[in-house]
Amino acid sequence: MSNLCVIGTGYVGLVTGTCFADLGNQVICLDIDEERISKVKQGIMPIYEPGLEQVVAQNVKAGRLFFTTSYEEALKDAEFAFIAVGTPSGVDGEADLQYVRAAAEAIADIVDHPIVVINKSTVPVGTGDWVAEIITKRRNERPLDFSVVSNPEFLREGSAINDFMVPDRVILGSENRPAAEKVAELYQSLRCPIQITDLRTAEMIKYASNAFLATRISFINEIANICEELGADVTEVARGMGLDKRIGRAFLDAGLGWGGSCFPKDVKALAHMAVLHGTQPQLLQAVMEINRNQRRRMVMHLRKTLGGLNDKVIGVLGLSFKPNTDDIRDAPALEVIHLLRNEGAVVKAYDPQAMEIVAKYYPTIPLCHDPYQVAEGADALILATEWNEFKQLDFKRIHQAMRQPVVFDGRNAWNADHLRAMGFRYFGIGRGNL
Ligand code: UDX
Ligand code: UDX
């Protein structure tokens, strides 16, 4: 059992702290957002993450998990301090590290015992050295016995607890190997491969992994766009490709492309690092461009099919960037809605979880209370996020409700033959029909 502090109780910090508590450690999660901490203390989660509420409650009840806004309280007994604060994109794509700096400075100002500082947030290559420098400089007069370890997270929203508890691997990087081995002990009970390398390599593994996953998606989307012109079905292409063990089937789902708080930010940050250090990230630039275009192509197809968008009523099913989360950061649905409204379309939408957040940040988007209300009087219906509850809709009722039975399946989640047999004009992504 160890004493851990997690700085930043966001999506990553809260899941990380809770899961470490579940493994038997004493954990204090800190956040500077008073409201967030007071809500978590009442058992109200700041994010929708399946199963999280229960695991938090169990560990709070067991006396292993605490929440605070006080750095003093959070750090006083901590042997390990995980930095999991936001690292949002800066002006031209570089990661904004102001919050990482704030956390490092707080550790330097408060801690007077040996501590391992762990970068859990996704940070540019070299940040580990930078954090060490900040702490060393700040403790020039009173040297602190500390080391820095990079321990990037590979959590997917909507399956974050499982991704923590059953990871494919744990990556650790440090210039102080014993420190990395101490962190490795925290993960021993997960019985998964643990790779220990140096700081920069560990930081690069995170970026390269996310950039590769994003590349796979942009690749299959480019293939989908070619399939549309050549009359092939990309869902079958992906199946055939995936049977090759060297390729695998995962992350080959063509659609509106990737959004969320990681892929967009991390691919941009990696490209920015490359340019900053004099190399040309051609592939990463293309990966981002293809992803941007997927949203625009959807609008182009709608414009062509409906003979213009002005005054057309368009229903959008799904607003979160993917199913099983309420996270709308860089959600394709929101950009499609923005582009449609720019051309005079009247848009309405529904999402099983993200309505509250959308109403708060995008109050002008008319929200419906269910998919059928979205379909009412619509000239077209878009599936933007493939929530399970959209997969078996009462399409007879949808057909009757719509002004024109035109559906755009932005995630290839619906059965084209079934819908066409019911009289819909069905358009998928790369289904050889646009
Ligand atoms: C964040 C990064 O965005 C991501 O790149 C990294 O991989 C993991 O950490 P996420 O947890 O989604 O991901 O961030 P966010 O949901 O923005 O939560 C960050 C939390 O840190 C917020 O609750 C914020 O209030 C808190 N924070 C921010 C602090 O506690 N201290 C600060 O100085 C700044
Ligand atoms: C991702 C990485 O998977 C995770 O390892 C990392 O820690 C954080 O970033 P996340 O962004 O939560 O996780 O979701 P993910 O399931 O990877 O999906 C990312 C985006 O890609 C979503 O918008 C999803 O709709 C899209 N996607 C995913 C596709 O368009 N096609 C696919 O085949 C898979």
Side-chain angles (χ1 to χ4, degrees), residues 139-364:
R139 290 295 289 261
N140 201 13
E141 309 303 315
R142 295 177 300 133
L144 174 65
D145 174 5
F146 79 100
S147 38
V148 175
V149 174
S150 162
N151 173 212
E153 50 86 17
F154 297 99
L155 307 177
R156 284 167 299 168
E157 296 195 25
S159 56
I161 295 178
N162 184 62
D163 288 347
F164 182 99
M165 291 301 191
V166 192
D168 289 341
R169 78 304 203 186
V170 168
I171 300 295
L172 299 170
S174 183
E175 304 322 312
N176 175 334
R177 189 166 179 99
E181 279 158 3
K182 269 183 79 177
V183 179
E185 278 159 35
L186 295 175
Y187 289 100
Q188 279 315 328
S189 55
L190 301 184
R191 298 198 207 302
C192 70
I194 298 181
Q195 178 180 348
I196 297 182
T197 179
D198 61 273
L199 266 175
R200 287 171 175 263
T201 304
E203 290 161 344
M204 178 52 89
I205 290 171
K206 169 65 186 175
Y207 276 105
S209 301
N210 266 11
F212 181 71
L213 293 168
T215 301
R216 277 179 75 100
I217 296 166
S218 283
F219 174 82
I220 201 66
N221 280 333
E222 176 135 282
I223 295 297
N225 299 338
I226 300 169
C227 284
E228 280 169 14
E229 303 311 325
L230 299 178
D233 181 342
V234 75
T235 58
E236 286 298 294
V237 170
R239 183 160 160 262
M241 287 171 65
L243 293 171
D244 180 325
K245 277 194 288 301
R246 295 167 304 169
I247 300 173
R249 177 61 187 77
F251 281 68
L252 285 180
D253 296 330
L256 282 172
W258 34 272
S261 71
C262 289
F263 283 1
K265 168 178 64 65
D266 296 351
V267 180
K268 231 186 286 179
L270 182 56
H272 183 265
M273 275 180 248
V275 171
L276 212 59
H277 293 83
T279 58
Q280 269 316 311
Q282 296 102 314
L283 180 60
L284 295 177
Q285 300 293 6
V287 164
M288 291 186 279
E289 185 54 28
I290 293 167
N291 195 58
R292 258 192 303 277
N293 277 340
Q294 282 308 94
R295 297 137 189 233
R296 296 184 196 129
R297 274 180 73 90
M298 169 62 78
V299 174
M300 178 194 76
H301 287 319
L302 274 154
R303 187 187 313 114
K304 237 167 57 182
T305 308
L306 299 179
L309 292 168
N310 197 29
D311 287 339
K312 292 293 188 305
V313 177
I314 307 209
V316 177
L317 296 180
L319 293 165
S320 58
F321 82 95
K322 66 175 215 176
N324 303 318
T325 179
D326 61 353
D327 198 335
I328 58 170
R329 290 180 277 193
D330 207 345
L334 292 172
E335 183 173 352
V336 168
I337 289 172
H338 172 73
L339 294 171
L340 290 172
R341 296 173 85 183
N342 274 357
E343 295 192 35
V346 175
V347 181
K348 49 183 177 167
Y350 163 79
D351 184 280
Q353 286 293 337
M355 305 276 267
E356 202 180 312
I357 293 187
V358 171
K360 183 175 166 194
Y361 293 104
Y362 299 89
T364 65

Side-chain angles (χ1 to χ4, degrees), residues 6-16 30-34 36-37 46-47 68 71 83-89 95 98-103 120-123 152-155 157 206-207 210 261-262 265-266 327 329:
V6 178
I7 301 170
T9 307
Y11 156 64
V12 173
L14 180 54
V15 170
T16 299
L30 172 136
D31 205 293
I32 54 169
D33 181 337
E34 307 262 350
R36 182 176 281 239
I37 289 297
I47 48 156
T68 181
Y71 266 110
I83 298 178
V85 294
T87 50
S89 282
Q98 61 173 305
Y99 305 126
V100 174
R101 169 183 285 280
K120 178 58 80 175
S121 289
T122 304
V123 289
E153 50 86 17
F154 297 99
L155 307 177
E157 296 195 25
K206 169 65 186 175
Y207 276 105
N210 266 11
S261 71
C262 289
K265 168 178 64 65
D266 296 351
D327 198 335
R329 290 180 277 193

Side-chain angles (χ1 to χ4, degrees), residues 385-425:
T385 312
E386 67 283 21
W387 284 91
N388 278 340
E389 71 178 75
F390 297 149
K391 290 182 180 164
Q392 308 286 343
L393 290 172
D394 174 351
F395 283 105
K396 203 154 163 291
R397 192 173 156 196
I398 295 272
H399 193 290
Q400 282 158 358
M402 294 183 75
R403 186 151 61 183
Q404 301 183 55
V406 179
V407 292
F408 280 80
D409 183 357
R411 295 292 179 183
N412 290 336
W414 286 335
N415 181 318
D417 299 337
H418 173 67
L419 291 179
R420 285 186 179 129
M422 292 182 72
F424 285 97
R425 290 185 66 193

